[in-house]
Amino acid sequence: MNIRTRLTLLFVLLVASIMLLFTVSVYYLYDQFRQQEFEQRLSEKAFTTVRLREDVGEVPQADLPVMVNEQVTVYNSKGVVLYNQGNQRPHYPVTPSFLSKITLKHPQYSRIGDLEAVGVRHLNSKGQVLLIVASGNDRYGLTKLDRLREILFSGWLLSLVIVGIAGYLFATDALRPVAELIGQVNAISATNIHERLRVGRQRDELADLANTFNDLLSRLEEAFVLQKSFVSHASHELRTPLTVMMGQVEVTRLMARSTDEYESSLDALLDEVKSMIRLVNGLLELARASSDAVMLNHQPLRIDELLWQAQSHVIHTKPDYQIDIDFDNLPNQEEELVINGEESLLQTAFQNLMENGCKYSPNESVSVRISFERGFVQLTFTDQGYGIPESDLPHIFEPFYRSESTMTIKGHGIGLALTKRIIELHRGVIKVESVVGKGTKFWITLPIPYRSAKLPEATYSADEHAQSEATS
């Protein structure tokens, strides 16, 4: 059952219930009014009959207004019949309990089928207590009540049909914007993912839904563009070493060569293979870091141990690199050294910054400094290298981006993009400052679970305060 049908049925059911309640209420109230009116007529009939009888004796029935099956019977206080209009047998069966309940202030009413009776109490001129029971059939009132029931029931059925049609039209109009949104969403594909949803009403829930879809489309478009760019750059980076390797193999096969020349060619091929392996490993790490954060295995880690391990790995692969780590500002409590994170990813981020600092510095050295504040640890990676032009700073964290000044140095442009993603996964912030010819400095700020208070503003510059706000 679709929403339009369900809304129509619910609307009809709701209105039908309200109208049925109203109809029953009208019928019940009119029936009460008819009963009270007929009860009043019977009471007046009883009193009028007994008073005329006291004045003139036997009262001819033709002298009073006649009701269908009317009967007036007078009883004494002991329940003995003193007078029966027309000397007929009473139509309405009167019980002693009915007579005993009759008082001066509270007449008694009873009904059997269409025959109704009223019992009243009267004190005659001789001081005798008389119980008068007047009964009759309110054929005229009951006929009107039946007619009213037919009218109300027929009107209720007719109203159901009208309400059903109105409910369907109402549901159709209410869901028309939804149908338009569905059509627009179905029209969006990979070729026109830049399109956005439009709604006629700008201030209702459907407009909020369209804005939510538009935000989702913006994120998908960004991810789609990044994926296309990633695939394009990755294909280009992989194609370059493959082309070089194929060219070297073809040149080597053109003619017979000496053993040394073959070894030289194989060494060149081996370098290209290692370069491809580094590129593939970088791509895998970048893909892993771009996955959902909930899939990562976060564990308590000591920040000083991570830096030592990263330093050892870099020096093992590049013995000529100089990496100085300043541990002079370590806190007294070991708990302040512990962060929650993925060990392999954080090591990769620190190694990338250490390797870049050494690789892009003439003296192949980088210094690392650790500082602690309440709730945060800040790592500073400083080199005295070539520096990064100001125009390139906004792009250095983009995958495969490389500055023109560093094209002569081997690399693929993956390291900083991977590092930034890793730091963000750990709710941290990374920023960079660089001066061409003087060097580059990277700051990494990571939260410490042991203390979650914000850093004092007095000990922070404006930029550093902005970092602490972003991490919180």
Side-chain angles (χ1 to χ4, degrees):
M1 182 182 296
N2 56 32
I3 296 180
R4 179 183 304 171
T5 303
R6 186 161 59 249
L7 285 177
T8 302
L9 292 178
L10 290 176
F11 182 75
V12 171
L13 181 61
L14 177 62
V15 176
S17 300
I18 296 175
M19 292 183 62
L20 181 61
L21 179 62
F22 174 76
T23 301
V24 172
S25 300
V26 170
Y27 180 81
Y28 174 77
L29 293 175
Y30 182 78
D31 182 53
Q32 293 297 309
F33 170 75
R34 182 211 62 80
Q35 176 183 319
Q36 293 174 2
E37 182 185 34
F38 191 61
E39 183 178 348
Q40 182 66 28
R41 288 173 58 192
L42 289 175
S43 298
E44 292 175 355
K45 177 74 174 182
F47 284 119
T48 302
T49 300
V50 74
R51 287 169 183 167
L52 285 176
R53 181 176 178 278
E54 290 177 354
D55 293 339
V56 300
E58 183 67 27
V59 181
Q61 189 173 355
D63 292 346
L64 295 174
V66 179
M67 293 177 287
V68 179
N69 293 330
E70 73 170 23
Q71 183 74 50
V72 178
T73 306
V74 181
Y75 299 86
N76 61 12
S77 59
K78 296 180 179 181
V80 179
V81 177
L82 300 179
Y83 170 77
N84 188 21
Q85 186 180 26
N87 294 321
Q88 299 176 358
R89 184 178 179 181
H91 300 301
Y92 191 90
V94 178
T95 61
S97 62
F98 178 81
L99 294 176
S100 63
K101 296 177 182 178
I102 300 174
T103 62
L104 287 174
K105 295 183 179 180
H106 298 89
Q108 290 298 310
Y109 170 83
S110 181
R111 178 177 177 179
I112 300 178
D114 293 339
L115 194 61
E116 300 172 79
V118 173
V120 296
R121 193 181 185 94
H122 175 69
L123 190 65
N124 62 11
S125 58
K126 297 179 181 181
Q128 296 176 337
V129 176
L130 301 179
L131 303 176
I132 311 155
V133 178
S135 61
N137 186 348
D138 187 14
R139 181 177 297 175
Y140 177 72
L142 293 176
T143 301
K144 290 195 296 183
L145 188 64
D146 293 339
R147 181 59 179 167
L148 176 63
R149 182 172 61 249
E150 294 175 359
I151 293 174
L152 291 176
F153 184 72
S154 301
W156 182 71
L157 292 179
L158 180 61
S159 299
L160 287 184
V161 177
I162 297 175
V163 168
I165 297 174
Y168 181 81
L169 296 177
F170 170 78
T172 301
D173 180 70
L175 295 176
R176 182 177 293 111
V178 177
E180 294 176 355
L181 288 178
I182 293 175
Q184 295 180 42
V185 171
N186 289 332
I188 296 177
S189 62
T191 57
N192 61 340
I193 197 172
H194 60 277
E195 295 288 341
R196 294 296 180 265
L197 303 181
R198 303 175 302 278
V199 291
R201 304 170 182 139
Q202 299 298 326
R203 295 183 178 180
D204 57 8
E205 289 76 5
L206 290 178
D208 295 338
L209 178 62
N211 292 331
T212 303
F213 270 117
N214 287 336
D215 293 339
L216 175 62
L217 288 173
S218 298
R219 295 193 296 270
L220 290 177
E221 180 183 9
E222 181 181 358
F224 187 73
V225 171
L226 289 176
Q227 184 184 31
K228 289 181 63 177
S229 175
F230 179 84
V231 173
S232 176
H233 285 90
S235 301
H236 175 74
E237 293 293 334
L238 289 172
R239 183 176 59 184
T240 299
L242 288 175
T243 303
V244 173
M245 293 170 62
M246 185 176 65
Q248 290 178 343
V249 172
E250 290 177 348
V251 170
T252 304
R253 292 182 60 195
L254 290 176
M255 55 181 295
R257 300 178 183 275
S258 64
T259 302
D260 292 338
E261 290 176 334
Y262 280 120
E263 289 181 354
S264 176
S265 298
L266 291 175
D267 290 339
L269 289 174
L270 181 60
D271 290 338
E272 294 298 331
V273 171
K274 291 180 179 179
S275 176
M276 288 186 62
I277 292 175
R278 287 193 297 270
L279 174 59
V280 171
N281 289 335
L283 293 176
L284 290 175
E285 291 289 344
L286 184 60
R288 183 187 176 201
S290 300
S291 63
D292 195 347
V294 299
M295 302 299 293
L296 301 179
N297 183 23
H298 284 227
Q299 295 179 349
L301 304 170
R302 285 180 57 111
I303 192 69
D304 55 342
E305 294 180 356
L306 290 174
L307 290 174
W308 276 115
Q309 292 171 3
Q311 180 194 43
S312 300
H313 185 273
V314 173
I315 294 178
H316 177 74
T317 55
K318 298 287 185 179
D320 296 336
Y321 286 175
Q322 298 293 325
I323 302 173
D324 298 324
I325 303 177
D326 182 7
F327 289 113
D328 294 339
N329 297 323
L330 292 182
N332 296 327
Q333 299 184 11
E334 295 184 0
E335 291 83 354
E336 297 186 32
L337 290 168
V338 177
I339 63 173
N340 285 329
E342 174 76 26
E343 182 177 4
S344 60
L345 290 181
L346 287 174
Q347 282 191 19
T348 299
F350 298 157
Q351 290 172 20
N352 287 338
L353 293 177
M354 292 177 181
E355 288 180 355
N356 283 354
C358 295
K359 182 168 59 174
Y360 296 105
S361 299
N363 58 359
E364 296 184 340
S365 67
V366 64
S367 63
V368 182
R369 181 178 180 273
I370 308 177
S371 61
F372 293 86
E373 296 292 345
R374 289 182 302 173
F376 295 90
V377 57
Q378 188 176 77
L379 307 178
T380 306
F381 297 79
T382 307
D383 65 65
Q384 307 296 325
Y386 307 112
I388 304 173
E390 185 176 356
S391 59
D392 294 329
L393 285 177
H395 307 286
I396 62 173
F397 295 113
E398 296 177 3
F400 303 103
Y401 181 84
R402 300 194 69 196
S403 174
E404 293 182 0
S405 60
T406 61
M407 288 298 182
T408 57
I409 302 176
K410 289 185 177 181
H412 303 289
I414 298 178
L416 288 180
L418 176 59
T419 300
K420 184 174 187 296
R421 179 56 181 162
I422 292 173
I423 299 303
E424 289 177 346
L425 284 177
H426 291 80
R427 298 184 295 112
V429 174
I430 182 172
K431 71 171 188 175
V432 59
E433 288 183 1
S434 183
V435 178
V436 176
K438 293 184 177 181
T440 304
K441 182 182 291 186
F442 286 89
W443 284 274
I444 292 179
T445 304
L446 294 170
I448 299 176
Y450 179 68
R451 292 181 180 177
S452 58
K454 291 184 179 180
L455 292 174
E457 295 188 19
T459 62
Y460 247 173
S461 65
D463 291 338
E464 292 167 338
H465 176 67
Q467 286 186 31
S468 66
E469 291 293 332
T471 57
S472 60

